[in-house]
Amino acid sequence: MWKRKILVVEDNEINREMLVDILSSEYDVITASNGKEALDVIKNVYQNKEYISLILLDIIMPIMDGYTFLKKLKDDEYGALIPVVVTTSNVNEVDEVLALSSGATDFIPKPYKAKIILHRVANIIKLREHSALINQVIYDKLTGLYNKDYFYQQIKNSFVRNDLEPFYIVTLNIENFKFFNESFGLKAGDNLLNEIAKKIRNYFGNDVVAARFTADRFFLLLNYNQYQAFNNKEAIEISKSIIIRWGVYEIVDKTIPVEQMCDRASLAVNSIKGQYNKYINCYDDNMRKALLREKMLLDSIDEAIENKQFFVYFQPKYSVYNKELIGAEALVRWNHPRLGMVSPGEFIPLFEKYGVISNLDRFVWEEVFIHLSNYKKKGYKLVPVSMNVSRVDAYNSYLSDIFLNLTKKYDIEPKYIHLEITESAYTKSPKQIIKTSIDLKKQGFSIEMDDFGSGYSSLNMFSMLEVDVIKLDIDFVQNETSKSIDRSILGDVINMAHRMNIRVVAEGVETNEQLNKLRMVNCDFVQGYLLKKPIPSDEFENELKKLLIFA
Ligand code: C2E
Ligand code: CA
């Protein structure tokens, strides 16, 4: 059974043992033989995120007496909340006033009477636990559920009480809570949080171990039966328009820190954020591994650039009519010293998410210029090479200056430089992109709109978007070419683009059937495994060499 902690501070061993004897049937009793030792004990308990419910204090002690101890205790943010009962044999008024004015709560006279002591101690503890001060330490002000620290302590206590029973940490999040707050106001947000707390109590009972940490981060500690009940019912419904998602961590290892247990429940819920039709998710160790991998990749980006672990592949683009090489896309590759080859499909979105993509983009661009300048020096005929510009860089108003400087530094004409900007950058902030695009085009660079068909851009936007080429997204290409031509919108898209003087590249062409269909609808260029996979720079050099021979 879990017991509250009581600290007995007393230098006389016989007295100390007597108190331990009396109290230990009801309490977990810890002892100290003087004030200084007691302060250390309290600090220790506090560091373990546990609480002392009451202190029994002798006044006359060596090293540090009771008054000095009281004074120090009341100066401590946490210690000030612990009720102190002074044990004394000679109750005189002076001592009493002095003790009370130093912050003692009550007296217990010597010799000790077990019943009186137990009774008084229980009363004081009860009183204090219901007082406003302790509320701040235990409860979340808004919802009346526990706060984070106290919840952590309750988890530990539950292990002490019952080591064999399985426990579950369950967290719940409101989808788009921030948005809710912004749209309906903080008060409505608070009401919603209260509503949820109420539902939790109604569903699991008033003595449920539940907490709110911050914002909409709720946590519950459920035992096996509670968890089964919860599982059967799936979720607590608030309103049809408010989506609540749940993350579950089954406590299999009781030795890991409780903070980490809660993090794992959070990880489980975060990984289903925004997913359609998935409202509950249980933590599994692969999530942690994925997170560690992400962290490892993020931490090593600078070093990777410095040590040239990144390099560039080229994927040729061909004319649909005569399969002539008309250009190439530069695609970054990462040879990680520990993980081996890592796909850009993995690290680019990660770097974008954490705002560290710009350094890599710069590096790749310069690498491309270095290659182009080498090819040029060797006397090859160049073809335009397109470079990917990630969203954040697309909004950079110095983009044209950056590329202009590179063309000067490496003596490459701007007409050989194409920039691929993803469709979603246009739909999100068209004004900024249009401005950047006008600057770039003025200098002679070409703009390709990447991933067309994967988002929401409409054809009638093209005329104002300043793009020279659209790149049809791989899924779009593969979907549309699988339909009969009269049912596909491919032809319409391409015709419309041509009317606006925009060329069209199809990406991800893998079969002859796809190529033929693209030819039938007058697509201009193709890129894909059918023609060539992305290749290292020296192989690409061979492709350029062929242009000389056939010229
Ligand atoms: P993306 O810009 O859409 O690039 C095309 C991706 O499709 C490349 O994947 C390419 O290898 C792949 N691909 C080409 N042909 C085929 C095909 O026939 N079938 C299939 N299934 N796939 C094909 P990759 O190289 O893995 O790059 C993935 C994404 O990473 C790129 O998508 C791009 O968004 C990003 N990325 C690559 N390099 C860079 C870079 O240097 N900078 C930035 N910012 N992003 C880059
Ligand atoms: Ca691209």
Side-chain angles (χ1 to χ4, degrees), residues 329 331 388 420 450-451 471 507:
E329 176 180 9
L331 292 160
N388 287 285
E420 294 189 8
D450 208 355
D451 310 314
K471 282 193 84 172
E507 196 178 58

Side-chain angles (χ1 to χ4, degrees), residues 13 42 76 82 114 140 175 188 207 235 269 301 342 532-533 544:
E13 204 181 326
I42 293 168
D76 180 76
I82 310 173
D140 164 43
E175 183 99 337
D207 53 354
V269 77
I301 178 169
V342 186
K532 200 66 99 190
K533 287 197 168 176
L544 293 177

Side-chain angles (χ1 to χ4, degrees), residues 242-262:
I242 288 163
I243 298 173
I244 293 182
R245 291 182 208 274
W246 305 79
V248 177
Y249 173 64
E250 180 182 356
I251 303 175
V252 274
D253 176 1
K254 291 183 177 169
T255 62
I256 66 169
V258 291
E259 291 86 344
Q260 207 170 321
M261 295 176 182
C262 293

Side-chain angles (χ1 to χ4, degrees), residues 410-430:
Y410 293 99
D411 190 25
I412 300 293
E413 288 173 76
K415 67 175 184 188
Y416 292 117
I417 303 303
H418 288 204
L419 305 176
E420 294 189 8
I421 300 177
T422 182
E423 182 204 64
S424 62
Y426 286 91
T427 42
K428 255 201 162 159
S429 179

